[in-house]
Amino acid sequence: MAAPEGGGPSFRLENLAAASSPAGTGAPLRGGDLGRVLTVAPAAIAVVDGRIAAVGAPAEVRVANPDLEPVDGRGRVAIPGLIDCHTHPAFGGDRANEFDLRAQGADYERIHASGGGIAATVRATRGLDADGLRAAVSRHMGWMAANGTTTAEGKSGYGLDRDTELRSLEAVAAVGALETVPTYLGAHSVPPEFGSGDEYLDYALSEVLPEAARVAEAADVFLERGAFTAEQADRYLRAAREHGLALRLHGDQFTESGAIPLAVELGARSVDHLEATGADGVDRLAGSEVAAVLLPVAALYLRRGMPPARALIDRGAVVVLATDFNPGSAYCDSLPVVMTLACTQLGMSAGEALSATTVNAAWVLGRSERLGRLAPGYDADIVLLDAPDWRHVAYHLAGRDIAAVYKRGRLLA
Ligand code: NIG
Ligand code: FE
């Protein structure tokens, strides 16, 4: 589901508490604003045609919306539907073997250099037909929805040939339940049939990008040793921008290789990872409109240092959290788990973790006027927690507190 549909259910959700970033403009939250959460208890939410018409004290919401059918919220806590702005759901096979090898001391980058890693998943993904790939993406995104995700970005990047990349993007766009945002990660890795990154980009930019741009909203590149150089990333992203795509970068995962300066120069939406980012990079992001998308599961899986979340927030950067769901470095589909890691490993408050998976994640996907808040005019994307307090979504590690997930007023899970 890529674009908003008209219509949707109407009802009045009662007997609740509600917690969300306060109403605001579509601008992302920075610094002290990131952690501010407005709680209303008791609360009711009026939903009209799949949109939030009112959130507030039950009597006020009832008086203003008397004809809506009441729905019992059973004392649950409503938070905005979670938004996962960085996922890789389009793949075949798995990498449980590599996970176990790494557990016994093997190194991720060395596995990649010797033809495993991303290349292993590319082989498995090329072996799927369109139906198989669609089934895989739906299954992965169904897991996300069950964990409270109502909108998810989904990257290609495990095909790296024309047909498999296009099939991947179409499979992401075709997911029917949650809202999806396809991203063309054409520059993920150099596939084995090409002698160099430059030769591969000659092919990808002429044969794949023009068609990928008809389905995708954004383009992404893995700028890292062993993947693509800053010069190659510059070439790829400029071509993507000419096709009208928003720009994203995987950068500073293992080394600072120029992703942040390039992202600022090109006006990219985000640089994602940032485990290796130092003080200069933090300052450059803080002085820019480029979001810092932090992926603590990848750092955890690969036993790397965590990204400098506290410095980024305190300096005023736009900080966002995402799962990075993929079969190699982050086999995790749960934003609540990411929120737990944010609070325990990144020094973020629960309020900062909530805004970073709602309002700011919506901004990275160009949807912050419509998604990420419980506020009038926003889509009725609502997660109900069976917990005494909204902070349990982060507090309860891998908990099962999610009682209901609404997308535009329809029950998803
Ligand atoms: O974001 N860093 C590059 N790409 C993915 C992992 C890809 C893989 O290992 O399959 C990531 O971590
Ligand atoms: Fe990623």
Side-chain angles (χ1 to χ4, degrees), residues 9-37:
S10 302
F11 54 94
R12 204 173 57 229
L13 206 46
E14 300 188 325
N15 187 15
L16 294 173
S20 163
S21 302
T25 64
L29 301 176
R30 300 174 187 253
D33 290 337
L34 187 68
R36 248 165 240 148
V37 171

Side-chain angles (χ1 to χ4, degrees), residues 86 88 250 273 324:
H86 182 139
H88 303 252
H250 281 68
H273 275 293
D324 195 19

Side-chain angles (χ1 to χ4, degrees), residues 28-305:
L29 301 176
R30 300 174 187 253
D33 290 337
L34 187 68
R36 248 165 240 148
V37 171
L38 183 70
T39 56
V40 184
I45 302 175
V47 175
V48 176
D49 294 338
R51 287 239 172 102
I52 295 174
V55 184
E60 284 166 30
V61 172
R62 208 174 303 131
V63 167
N65 302 274
D67 299 331
L68 296 176
E69 182 199 339
V71 174
D72 186 0
R74 300 199 219 168
R76 289 166 173 160
V77 187
I79 59 172
L82 302 176
I83 298 170
D84 199 343
C85 73
H86 182 139
T87 88
H88 303 252
F91 62 85
D94 66 65
R95 306 234 292 278
N97 59 332
E98 291 180 10
F99 173 78
D100 195 20
L101 288 173
R102 287 202 308 277
Q104 300 170 61
D107 176 71
Y108 177 83
E109 286 184 271
R110 235 171 280 143
I111 293 173
H112 174 75
S114 61
I118 294 171
T121 300
V122 168
R123 289 190 287 276
T125 307
R126 286 179 177 176
L128 292 178
D129 63 12
D131 285 346
L133 201 41
R134 234 180 280 132
V137 172
S138 295
R139 180 163 181 252
H140 300 150
M141 289 194 151
W143 294 339
M144 295 175 198
N147 283 311
T149 297
T150 49
T151 303
E153 184 252 23
K155 302 176 196 296
S156 65
Y158 290 119
L160 306 178
D161 63 25
R162 185 183 161 282
D163 287 357
T164 319
E165 285 294 301
L166 295 176
R167 274 208 291 269
S168 299
L169 294 169
E170 278 155 12
V172 171
V175 171
L178 65 175
E179 180 171 346
T180 58
V181 182
T183 295
Y184 174 48
L185 177 51
H188 196 191
S189 184
V190 180
E193 61 272 26
F194 289 91
S196 71
D198 292 322
E199 262 177 50
Y200 168 64
L201 287 182
D202 290 343
Y203 161 78
L205 297 182
S206 61
E207 304 290 321
V208 191
L209 174 65
E211 288 186 69
R214 283 197 257 276
V215 186
E217 293 189 25
D220 196 346
V221 54
F222 186 19
L223 199 184
E224 188 54 78
R225 67 182 175 204
F228 292 88
T229 65
E231 292 70 30
Q232 290 166 339
D234 180 284
R235 179 181 168 209
Y236 173 80
L237 292 173
R238 280 180 200 278
R241 191 169 62 177
E242 271 172 34
H243 281 81
L245 297 178
L247 308 182
R248 311 276 307 266
L249 293 88
H250 281 68
D252 292 6
Q253 184 178 12
F254 307 127
T255 58
E256 288 190 284
S257 299
I260 292 174
L262 181 61
V264 172
E265 185 188 334
L266 296 181
R269 287 255 177 90
S270 69
V271 182
D272 307 36
H273 275 293
L274 305 172
E275 289 93 318
T277 302
D280 280 0
V282 168
D283 284 342
R284 282 186 105 131
L285 280 176
S288 80
E289 295 281 295
V290 180
V293 177
L294 310 182
L295 310 167
V297 177
L300 185 77
Y301 258 55
L302 303 188
R303 294 197 238 173
R304 307 279 170 147

